[in-house]
Amino acid sequence: EIVLTQSPGTLSLSPGERATLSCRASQSVSSSYLAWYQQKPGQAPRLLIYGASSRATGIPDRFSGSGSGTDFTLTISRLEPEDFAVYYCQQYGSAWTFGQGTKVEIK
Amino acid sequence: EVQLVQSGAEVKKPGESLKISCKGSGYSFTTYWIGWVRQMPGKGLEWMGIIYPGDSDTRYSPSFQGQVTISADKSISTAYLQWSSLKASDTAMYYCARHVSDYYYYMDVWGKGTTVTVSS
């Protein structure tokens, strides 16, 4: 089973700053099989990025994804107040797995 | 509008059985995998397994194989997650999610979640 490790565990930033979240896989993952989700307290997760770099419907362009192989990145170019949340990466190999999450909190 | 509507919160005792549901609407229920994700209190997301309602093909995470049963009734566009004997450690929020698996693999529609509390 492929293990996804996200870093950092917590990112403390101010609104307007740039956020860079990392997702590292224990073995190579097809870019087509890598997605990112946002979860706010008390809410279900929401799809942000699929195929490593394609934004889901309705997702603002300040969110971008990149990477290949074992290293993937989610970037939020300028943090808005509503972006403070937990972010998860997900992959499909022989099974579906999630990373442990990165919390983006207000500094 | 594509929606997944989950059944309401449950409070159960250890050893009891439980079946929670997830009803899909606004799309062809039989042509997408639908699965379950666990979130224990204050923790991250854990993928449990999926079912293809068209033919009931079912896949489980090794961590949940034998611990739960996933099923579906395509006549009423509903998927289920079932336990035969609950444990306190089953206390969690459970989400259903539509799985897209063609060229890309991701979960694009989520239910609001069902809270399961197991306590004596």
Side-chain angles (χ1 to χ4, degrees):
Chain A
E1 180 177 287
I2 296 175
V3 175
L4 298 177
T5 301
Q6 293 186 238
S7 62
T10 301
L11 200 50
S12 299
L13 295 167
S14 301
E17 290 194 294
R18 181 184 187 88
T20 302
L21 287 67
S22 173
C23 176
R24 179 161 291 176
S26 59
Q27 55 188 282
S28 186
V29 172
S30 168
S31 295
S32 299
Y33 300 167
L34 196 288
W36 290 90
Y37 302 84
Q38 176 193 65
Q39 188 179 33
K40 297 179 182 178
Q43 296 185 17
R46 175 175 73 144
L47 175 68
L48 294 177
I49 301 286
Y50 65 92
S53 61
S54 297
R55 275 186 300 277
T57 303
I59 302 303
D61 61 7
R62 64 180 180 273
F63 290 92
S64 64
S66 63
S68 64
T70 60
D71 289 297
F72 298 89
T73 300
L74 174 69
T75 301
I76 311 171
S77 59
R78 286 178 55 86
L79 283 163
E80 297 288 340
E82 62 267 28
D83 299 336
F84 291 92
V86 180
Y87 293 84
Y88 296 92
C89 55
Q90 164 257 306
Q91 68 81 38
Y92 172 77
S94 56
W96 300 68
T97 59
F98 290 97
Q100 82 279 19
T102 289
K103 182 179 182 180
V104 179
E105 66 176 22
I106 299 176
K107 186 174 183 179
Chain B
E1 180 193 5
V2 177
Q3 282 190 97
L4 295 174
V5 178
Q6 296 189 230
S7 50
E10 301 275 1
V11 179
K12 292 288 190 179
K13 291 181 167 36
E16 291 186 331
S17 63
L18 176 64
K19 193 173 189 177
I20 62 175
S21 66
C22 170
K23 182 174 176 62
S25 63
Y27 73 101
S28 175
F29 187 74
T30 56
T31 60
Y32 285 85
W33 292 84
I34 188 161
W36 293 91
V37 174
R38 183 175 80 175
Q39 188 166 41
M40 299 178 77
K43 302 298 184 182
L45 305 174
E46 300 174 272
W47 185 80
M48 301 177 72
I50 48 173
I51 188 165
Y52 191 77
D55 62 6
S56 294
D57 187 8
T58 308
R59 316 279 172 84
Y60 292 94
S61 162
S63 300
F64 292 93
Q65 179 83 48
Q67 307 305 307
V68 296
T69 301
I70 294 171
S71 60
D73 183 340
K74 61 185 179 183
S75 70
I76 55 171
S77 301
T78 300
Y80 301 97
L81 178 64
Q82 183 174 3
W83 294 260
S84 58
S85 180
L86 286 160
K87 302 185 280 287
S89 57
D90 293 317
T91 294
M93 176 72 83
Y94 293 87
Y95 295 102
C96 62
R98 189 175 78 165
H99 285 51
V100 173
S101 52
D102 38 44
Y103 180 75
Y104 298 107
Y105 281 61
Y106 55 90
M107 303 169 214
D108 65 339
V109 180
W110 293 69
K112 293 189 185 302
T114 295
T115 300
V116 174
T117 303
V118 183
S119 175
S120 55

